[in-house]
Amino acid sequence: LQEWGLGDDLAGLERFSMTAVECLAPHVAAIKPQSAFFERFGSRGIAVLERVIADSRAAGAQVILDVKRGDIGSTSQAYADAYLDPSSSLAVDAVTVSPYLGFGSLDPFIDTARRFGGGLFVLALTSNKEGPEVQHARTESGATVAGAMLGHVRRLNAEAQPMGSFGAVVGATIGETGEALDIGGPLLVPGYGAQGGSVADIARIFGPAARFALPSSSRGLLRHGPDVARLAAAVRRAADEVAAL
């Protein structure tokens, strides 16, 4: 917001968000709004998020809502209903979820996604530096926690052709990994662009699974705004770059 000369208030967020949707949605496969930046303004912020979702989908982009929800039982079901049931004003195509209360805690999300044709991106190998403390830990079987999560997702996609709707979050900045990243579903790849990850990094880290990668760039693209023409041009350049994966 500051780079665009906008105030850190609801009006600034609304102008920023709707300009970004106007420039991005016609040219990208998916828009990934971060729910927290809207939630901080309460119901008025949620109303802006609803517009972002509706306008993005109307322009032809899928919407992945970055919420990283993870809970158990009825609470998990309520989150799933909020984001994946088409009757909700916050309904999107896919959401990010955390499996670290146990993969079984995601069952309500999985069932609801299947019922309504939605998707999930399960946190696995994230791009933040604190992630390895949990994700690289070893289970009783000897697999890493991240590897176990990837295995669960792979099983969900086992019968899907050409690919399933259950994906994983794997960062472009994780460096070399011994994990099997071909999960039969999409891979949401943060860390591309401003955080230092490149197309070459994605090709090296993901190998044959790179064809399933959906690189995510926020700051790397949005810094070209608020000029609409510059921002749209930057989006087209990035789309051409990742199309080679």
Side-chain angles (χ1 to χ4, degrees):
L1 291 174
Q2 291 178 347
E3 289 185 4
W4 284 29
L6 300 173
D8 187 21
D9 55 14
L10 182 63
L13 175 67
E14 183 170 17
R15 181 181 169 193
F16 176 85
S17 300
M18 302 320 298
T19 300
V21 168
E22 176 187 349
C23 295
L24 298 174
H27 304 291
V28 299
I31 297 284
K32 185 174 71 70
Q34 168 50 257
S35 184
F37 292 112
F38 300 89
E39 293 175 33
R40 65 191 286 255
F41 292 107
S43 61
R44 295 176 301 157
I46 295 298
V48 175
L49 178 57
E50 290 173 347
R51 284 187 59 201
V52 168
I53 293 169
D55 287 9
S56 296
R57 299 179 89 180
Q62 295 194 17
V63 177
I64 303 167
L65 189 58
D66 196 355
V67 289
K68 299 183 179 70
R69 300 299 191 220
D71 215 305
I72 58 173
S74 59
T75 306
S76 186
Q77 184 62 64
Y79 280 135
D81 292 340
Y83 304 123
L84 296 172
D85 186 330
S87 67
S88 169
S89 60
L90 287 171
V92 293
D93 297 285
V95 290
T96 57
V97 291
S98 173
Y100 293 118
L101 286 177
F103 201 84
S105 67
L106 299 182
D107 284 349
F109 281 101
I110 294 166
D111 293 342
T112 305
R114 283 175 167 156
R115 186 181 317 130
F116 296 114
L120 303 177
F121 286 96
V122 178
L123 301 182
L125 288 164
T126 56
S127 56
N128 62 304
K129 61 182 175 56
E130 301 88 357
E133 179 180 4
V134 173
Q135 296 158 17
H136 291 183
R138 296 283 172 176
T139 67
E140 291 182 355
S141 70
T144 65
V145 171
M149 298 304 111
L150 291 166
H152 285 303
V153 177
R154 188 178 298 109
R155 285 186 284 275
L156 290 176
N157 292 325
E159 303 300 323
Q161 292 295 331
M163 64 185 295
S165 297
F166 298 102
V169 180
V170 179
T173 57
I174 62 170
E176 301 303 323
T177 177
E179 306 292 357
L181 299 179
D182 193 339
I183 56 169
L187 295 157
L188 182 61
V189 185
Y192 165 70
Q195 294 184 51
S198 67
V199 167
D201 292 325
I202 296 171
R204 184 184 70 256
I205 293 168
F206 290 82
R211 68 191 188 280
F212 293 140
L214 181 62
S216 173
S217 177
S218 297
R219 285 173 292 164
L221 292 178
L222 294 173
R223 64 185 176 84
H224 295 281
D227 183 275
V228 172
R230 287 184 63 236
L231 183 52
V235 172
R236 289 192 293 268
R237 287 194 301 271
D240 290 342
E241 184 177 50
V242 300
L245 285 172

